Amino acid sequence: MTQHLAAPATPAANAATTTAEPAATSAATPAAGGAPDWWRDAVIYQVYPRSFADGNGDGMGDLAGVRRRLPHLAELGVDAVWLSPFYASPQADAGYDVADYRAIDPMFGDLTDADALIDDAHDLGLKIIVDLVPNHSSDRHQWFRQALREGPGSPLRDRYHFRTGKGSDGELPPNDWESIFGGPAWTRTTDPDGTPGDWYLHLFAPEQPDFNWDHPAVHDEFRSVLRFWLDMGVDGFRIDVAHGLVKAEGLPDMGRGEQLRLLGNQVLPFFDQDGVHEIYRSWRTVLEEYGGGRIGVAEAWTPSADRTALYLRPDELHQAFNFHYLGTDWDAASLRATIDESLDSMRTVGAPTTWVLSNHDVVRHRTRFGGLARARAASLLMLALPGSAYVYQGEELGLPEVLDLPDEVRQDPSFFKDNGQDGLRDGCRVPLPWTVGGSSHGFGEGGSWLPQPEGWGELSVEAQQGDPDSTLELYRTALTVRRDHPDLGAGDAVQWLAAPEGVLALRRGAFLCAANTTGAAVPLSTLDGLPAERRTLLASGPFADADALLPADTVVWWTV
């Protein structure tokens, strides 16, 4: 699903690669095990398959490439891997238009590759979460294609939202709903005899018709799809547009024509309708049948954290993405407010709060926050918070957004449409650098589907491996400390310490964390409640406790 955040910030002055002095780095052993509540404090790594690693040398990432690079993720110390869509698809929206939910698109491999990937991940102690897209299918899905062939009156049309148009000849859309991609959320069909026909609903691209979740066949189909992948051995599902499945009865007009936003105090007749919760209660039953801590993760854009919490009641899903945190600026007051609101809301339903800084649809947080120093600091703050954290591929390398891709190489489907999106998601999807040299810096033997910028190899895994000042080693160390410290990971509260404006200081048992979001160092003496007897665990940039200063745009971890 597409959502764009603010434009990149002005680069911070201190953006050079720096890291902590005290904590030594070590190879982290994954904590993923058989515990049914593993997800409460899991660190989950998002793989965007086409950009992670290319196993067959065609320039496009694939499942074989992901499989080959799984040891990197195990050594990094994450608990689970979330794979963005790899299903059979015409790729009208980068795989979020699914033609067959039980098949792998040939560009990524086949079911044998998926089976081997799942087995290898489990052997390394890693869980596998796959994307599921239940709000809409591709217009190439067999149900939709047959519905068009059969014309009006086809029972398959009841599985989507087909409606007659308004106007004297049905020439106007059935209502005033807009697509998230801009323009009407309706496209008119042509009947088998060549005459203009009914309209169908698509909240996204015209190639993505919305399912009608009032139809029992849709419920049956997706319970079957869940079981198919659970039988393959997956450990959970990330549910795309989890808030969008149910539409208000009668599909009423919105009564206004402004461009839609996915966050905001909007009551929309097609988002966050109460009927979605019965669907997820049904899915929870399926997940419980399989045991072993199989989970559902909601991509739910809601007006508030309280509304998000409704998806996580004990008989529904397990986690939801915290988009409110992802959209929070590098500002102490704003961060504290979002953290408090998030923890308070999730506590009411007994669910863990999740934290995320980047993903495949937003500007990478290094660029969004204005430099590497802030990105590293934000990462340590996120990993200090109670609950579960999500890491987007390349985040552990400190990759910036690629802002200068020429128009002729762009691949984002939204870029080629006259719609409400800027179409610039390619900048966070440039294939990863694994080696210093080579035609694609180790991504694959056949180049890369998006060009990698000059100097990309200097940020590669090979270049950063073993360098104590690198962002890669900062992440490895942070995840080791997070796993080993008894007061980190799961939980639902923090104790705030008094701190000067622009600084956050929190305590969790014997663990302490301070974050300076300002552009100037502050005396440690201004952090009320910071014990004199303490040991530095890790810092996001150059720091010495003896200096008695918390540097600008820096986060420090201590234990007492």
Side-chain angles (χ1 to χ4, degrees):
M1 181 173 183
T2 304
Q3 171 69 5
H4 300 278
L5 296 181
T10 303
N14 182 18
T17 303
T18 55
T19 192
E21 39 166 78
T25 60
S26 64
T29 302
D37 59 350
W38 65 272
W39 43 275
R40 288 191 170 273
D41 63 354
V43 177
I44 300 173
Y45 186 100
Q46 181 190 358
V47 165
Y48 191 68
R50 65 179 62 206
S51 298
F52 190 69
D54 174 17
N56 63 6
D58 67 354
M60 181 68 68
D62 48 38
L63 296 185
V66 176
R67 183 185 177 197
R68 180 164 58 91
R69 295 295 188 180
L70 283 175
H72 166 73
L73 302 182
E75 187 176 8
L76 184 62
V78 301
D79 302 298
V81 179
W82 154 35
L83 295 163
S84 292
F86 47 68
Y87 307 107
S89 166
Q91 305 296 322
D93 187 27
Y96 284 93
D97 51 316
V98 180
D100 187 343
Y101 290 86
R102 297 175 182 82
I104 307 296
D105 194 283
M107 71 188 296
F108 297 125
D110 56 29
L111 284 173
T112 302
D113 294 310
D115 188 58
L117 170 59
I118 294 166
D119 285 348
D120 283 2
H122 288 165
D123 287 344
L124 289 167
L126 297 167
K127 306 283 190 181
I128 290 291
I129 296 171
V130 298
D131 235 308
L132 189 65
V133 188
N135 179 71
H136 48 262
S137 72
S138 166
D139 61 355
R140 306 287 182 87
H141 191 285
Q142 62 176 350
W143 285 2
F144 192 78
R145 295 177 69 183
Q146 187 173 345
L148 292 181
R149 286 196 304 269
E150 293 180 356
S154 169
L156 285 173
R157 292 199 170 201
D158 293 336
R159 301 180 185 187
Y160 295 89
H161 293 279
F162 281 86
R163 295 290 188 276
T164 57
K166 294 180 178 179
S168 59
D169 192 32
E171 71 276 11
L172 300 176
N175 67 21
D176 65 358
W177 293 4
E178 283 187 320
S179 164
I180 297 299
F181 287 169
W186 296 90
T187 289
R188 195 172 192 184
T189 65
T190 300
D191 286 340
D193 64 3
T195 60
D198 290 339
W199 298 70
Y200 67 88
L201 176 68
H202 53 86
L203 292 181
F204 297 91
E207 297 90 346
Q208 296 168 289
D210 279 44
F211 284 115
N212 175 16
W213 276 87
D214 290 333
H215 198 292
V218 178
H219 289 259
D220 292 343
E221 170 67 0
F222 275 92
R223 283 192 293 266
S224 174
V225 169
L226 290 175
R227 288 190 171 95
F228 178 87
W229 288 103
L230 289 167
D231 288 340
M232 286 280 291
V234 304
D235 302 285
F237 301 90
R238 177 266 190 187
I239 303 160
D240 186 63
V241 198
H243 56 296
L245 278 55
V246 172
K247 278 66 174 176
E249 186 176 357
L251 309 184
D253 283 341
M254 290 179 58
R256 55 199 173 96
E258 64 185 74
Q259 175 60 37
L260 296 177
R261 292 174 295 130
L262 295 178
L263 286 180
N265 296 318
Q266 302 182 98
V267 178
L268 301 174
F270 44 76
F271 279 168
D272 198 28
Q273 297 290 307
D274 289 339
V276 298
H277 300 291
E278 190 58 39
I279 296 169
Y280 299 131
R281 291 186 185 99
S282 171
W283 289 14
R284 180 65 175 254
T285 299
V286 174
L287 293 170
E288 295 291 343
E289 288 174 9
Y290 284 79
R294 312 297 179 96
I295 69 169
V297 181
E299 185 213 28
W301 296 89
T302 68
S304 69
D306 288 339
R307 290 293 300 179
T308 301
L310 297 179
Y311 291 75
L312 307 179
R313 288 173 286 194
D315 60 346
E316 294 191 43
L317 301 174
H318 300 75
Q319 291 186 351
F321 288 116
N322 190 342
F323 291 114
H324 302 280
Y325 187 76
L326 188 149
T328 302
D329 294 333
W330 181 241
D331 170 79
S334 299
L335 287 165
R336 176 168 174 172
T338 301
I339 292 167
D340 282 341
E341 180 187 14
S342 301
L343 292 171
D344 290 346
S345 298
M346 297 303 114
R347 194 180 302 117
T348 64
V349 292
T353 306
T354 64
W355 314 101
V356 60
L357 294 169
S358 292
N359 66 33
H360 65 291
D361 277 339
V362 304
V363 173
R364 286 186 178 273
H365 72 273
R366 169 176 172 172
T367 301
R368 208 170 66 243
F369 287 162
L372 183 58
R374 290 181 180 176
R376 290 162 59 98
S379 297
L380 282 199
L381 176 60
M382 174 184 76
L383 293 171
L385 298 173
S388 179
Y390 282 77
V391 174
Y392 177 53
Q393 65 178 40
E395 186 178 316
E396 78 277 18
L397 303 177
L399 296 185
E401 187 82 358
V402 179
L403 299 172
D404 57 355
L405 289 170
D407 290 354
E408 59 268 21
V409 305
R410 291 194 175 276
Q411 301 287 322
D412 182 356
S414 186
F415 181 76
F416 302 97
K417 301 177 184 293
D418 181 14
N419 57 39
Q421 301 294 322
D422 62 23
L424 303 180
R425 293 177 296 176
D426 292 318
C428 64
R429 301 176 178 183
V430 173
L432 297 190
W434 294 93
T435 60
V436 175
S439 62
S440 66
H441 299 293
F443 172 69
E445 297 180 356
S448 61
W449 67 281
L450 283 173
Q452 298 161 312
E454 185 177 354
W456 209 233
E458 297 169 10
L459 298 171
S460 66
V461 173
E462 181 184 37
Q464 297 193 41
Q465 178 92 20
D467 178 358
D469 291 335
S470 72
T471 301
L472 174 59
E473 297 298 347
L474 176 71
Y475 268 78
R476 286 176 173 171
T477 303
L479 293 179
T480 299
V481 173
R482 187 180 189 274
R483 183 187 66 245
D484 292 344
H485 197 289
D487 294 315
L488 283 174
D492 64 4
V494 299
Q495 174 190 354
W496 294 110
L497 306 180
E501 184 177 358
V503 177
L504 287 177
L506 63 90
R507 182 164 184 166
R508 301 180 62 196
F511 172 83
L512 295 102
C513 171
N516 182 0
T517 68
T518 74
V522 298
L524 292 177
S525 60
T526 61
L527 305 181
D528 187 31
L530 184 65
E533 297 296 324
R534 60 185 183 266
R535 177 169 60 89
T536 302
L537 294 171
L538 190 59
S540 65
F543 171 79
D545 221 329
D547 294 339
L549 292 173
L550 180 61
D553 293 320
T554 299
V555 168
V556 179
W557 289 1
W558 296 275
T559 192
V560 295

